[in-house]
């Protein structure tokens, strides 16, 4: 389990930028303990615990990049075509005899280069005249020859610690000789919703009830990071039961995550329950949508209470909780990628906070992307997430965006 101090989330400033939040997370959160070896075939989505070195050169030997003819470059005429007698044939996986001086050897993609050969002509560039190979001029020394270790040398770091393993990473690990990899254990995260008004989807909806939705978004977002999720369901507004549930979850999980119910209202019982079991602070983040985020510690386990509106949940999870999870996982996740677009709308905002506007992307007449704003701004409008392509980020120092100005858009597809 993560064992945090009660004051690890303390912040003295009145308003926190996203960068300040990420800096505090980096300074005060340590990765959870626990390392295990897993087979490469089962390691996707896990986080490397240690650097993984190459056990062999990649490629392990000089080989041909194409089907063609291997030659000694020094046997080629300096001008005009070269005619060399054919001598032998090498296929992938077979041994290769040394190339006789003044000859050409038939070779196939991936085959071991014969000793002495250093250049390969593609078969479509070559003609045969009986037993003679006719080679055109102009090819450079070493063409179409992959040298041993040119991708990565034996002993070099093939994959660094902290890498969240993707299919291409597993391919590289296997290619340099690893059958298993040292990875950190999966995080265990408890997720619950609170409120007497919340109803499980599929159940009859009373007059004053609403179906719980944020919990399902959070579980899905956590699943993309390979997190082991405990769905604690909906907890009613009963202070003692909430306190007991939080205390029990803290002993079995690395993070407790919820949305709503942490404000200062008389019926916001999560705040009192967290404070009874540990300590709670509010980070007033300078982002919109995204009201204050509740950060706390219960018996050494971090607690995060997100805003109740679904768009605010998505934004704060993406730009605050995801980096927190990465830190707990020991993962070096890249910052989200944004693509430049031309704003097809005008917009005014307050200075000093970053705003994320839901937009759809379309190709303009010049081939560049245009960002089209969703017609409704409310943080509770779920369709603004399902009917758009991403979030246009308007920086803190901007107050007026004019139509045609450049904006950076974070496509949902690239947010992980």
């Amino acid at each position: 389990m993560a064992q945090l101090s009660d004051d690890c989330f303390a912040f003295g400033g009145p308003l926190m930028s996203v960068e300040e939040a990420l800096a505090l997370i980096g300074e005060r959160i340590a990765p959870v303990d626990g390392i295990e070896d897993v087979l490469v075939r089962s390691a996707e989505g896990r986080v490397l615990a240690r650097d993984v070195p190459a056990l062999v050169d990649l490629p392990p030997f000089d080989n041909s990049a194409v089907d063609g003819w291997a030659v000694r470059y020094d046997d080629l005429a300096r001008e005009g075509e070269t005619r060399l007698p054919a001598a032998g044939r090498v296929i992938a996986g077979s041994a290769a005899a040394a190339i006789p001086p003044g000859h050409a050897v038939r070779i196939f993609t991936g085959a071991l280069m014969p000793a002495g050969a250093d250049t390969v002509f593609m078969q479509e560039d070559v003609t045969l005249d009986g037993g003679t190979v006719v080679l055109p001029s102009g090819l450079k020394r070493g063409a179409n020859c992959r040298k041993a270790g040119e991708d990565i040398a034996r002993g070099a770091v093939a994959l660094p610690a902290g890498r969240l393993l993707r299919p291409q990473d597993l391919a590289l690990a296997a290619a340099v000789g690893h059958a298993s990899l040292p990875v950190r254990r999966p995080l265990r995260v408890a997720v619950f919703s609170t409120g007497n008004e919340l109803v499980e989807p599929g159940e009859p909806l009373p007059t004053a009830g609403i179906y719980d939705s944020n919990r399902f978004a959070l579980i899905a977002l956590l699943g993309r990071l390979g997190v082991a999720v405990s769905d604690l369901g909906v907890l009613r507004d009963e202070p003692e039961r909430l306190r007991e549930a939080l205390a029990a979850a803290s002993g079995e999980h690395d993070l407790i995550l919820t949305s709503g119910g942490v404000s200062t209202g008389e019926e916001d019982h999560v705040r009192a329950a967290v404070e009874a079991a540990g300590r709670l602070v509010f980070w007033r983040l300078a982002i919109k949508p995204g009201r204050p985020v509740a950060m706390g510690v219960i018996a050494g386990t971090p607690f995060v209470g997100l805003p109740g509106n679904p768009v605010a949940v998505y934004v704060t999870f993406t730009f605050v909780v995801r980096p927190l999870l990465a830190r707990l996982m020991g993962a070096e996740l890249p910052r989200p990628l944004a693509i430049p677009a031309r704003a097809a709308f005008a917009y005014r905002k307050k200075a000093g906070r970053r705003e994320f506007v839901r937009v759809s992307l379309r190709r303009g007449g010049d081939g560049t992307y245009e960002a089209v704003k969703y017609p409704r701004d409310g943080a509770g409008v779920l369709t603004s997430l399902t009917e758009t392509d991403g979030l246009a980020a308007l920086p803190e120092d901007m107050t007026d965006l004019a139509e045609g100005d450049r904006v950076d858009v974070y496509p949902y597809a690239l947010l992980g």
Side-chain angles (χ1 to χ4, degrees), residues 83 112 167 221 285 291 311 349 356 360 364:
R83 300 173 67 88
L112 174 68
L221 289 164
L285 298 177
R291 287 171 152 183
V311 181
K349 61 177 284 291
F356 293 94
S360 298

Side-chain angles (χ1 to χ4, degrees), residues 113 118-121 139-145:
M113 289 287 289
D118 58 7
T119 303
V120 179
F121 283 81
L139 200 65
K140 295 181 179 180
R141 185 189 296 272
N144 301 314
C145 175

Side-chain angles (χ1 to χ4, degrees), residues 331-378:
E332 296 294 334
L333 294 184
R335 295 290 291 271
L337 292 175
I339 63 173
R342 184 171 57 249
F345 63 95
Y347 192 86
R348 298 193 68 183
K349 61 177 284 291
K350 291 182 179 180
R353 73 182 179 194
R354 187 175 306 178
E355 294 199 17
F356 293 94
V357 179
R358 286 138 278 172
V359 297
S360 298
L361 292 172
R362 69 186 183 195
R363 288 283 189 180
D366 59 357
T368 61
Y369 281 112
E370 290 183 339
V372 181
K373 181 182 174 296
Y374 194 75
R376 289 184 288 164
D377 290 324

Side-chain angles (χ1 to χ4, degrees), residues 149-181:
E150 72 175 20
D151 192 349
I152 188 167
R154 178 179 180 178
V157 174
L159 295 168
R163 174 68 59 87
L164 184 66
L165 293 167
R166 307 160 297 170
Q168 56 265 47
D169 299 317
L170 304 187
L172 179 58
V176 297
H178 290 276
S180 63
L181 295 170

Side-chain angles (χ1 to χ4, degrees), residues 22-72:
L22 298 183
L24 278 176
I25 288 169
E27 291 171 3
R28 301 182 185 182
I29 303 297
V32 299
D33 295 328
I35 297 173
E36 58 187 3
D37 285 330
V38 300
L39 294 176
V40 168
R41 67 171 61 92
S42 304
E44 183 184 4
R46 303 294 293 274
V47 177
L48 269 183
R50 295 187 292 270
D51 290 347
V52 170
L55 301 180
V56 296
D57 286 332
L58 187 64
F61 49 82
D62 294 357
N63 69 92
S64 176
V66 297
D67 293 346
W69 292 86
V71 301
R72 297 172 184 265

Side-chain angles (χ1 to χ4, degrees), residues 263-301:
S263 187
T264 57
E266 293 181 7
E267 294 301 320
D268 291 318
H269 298 293
V270 177
R271 175 173 185 162
V274 174
E275 291 177 330
R279 182 178 179 189
L280 186 72
V281 298
F282 280 89
W283 282 6
R284 293 186 60 228
L285 298 177
I287 60 174
K288 181 183 177 181
R291 287 171 152 183
V293 174
M295 312 289 285
V297 178
I298 302 171
T301 298

Side-chain angles (χ1 to χ4, degrees), residues 32 185-189 226-229 254-255 324-326 328-329:
V32 299
R185 67 164 176 82
L187 289 185
R188 296 184 285 268
V189 178
V227 170
V229 178
D254 304 300
L255 174 68
L324 170 62
L325 288 164
L328 287 170
M329 296 164 65

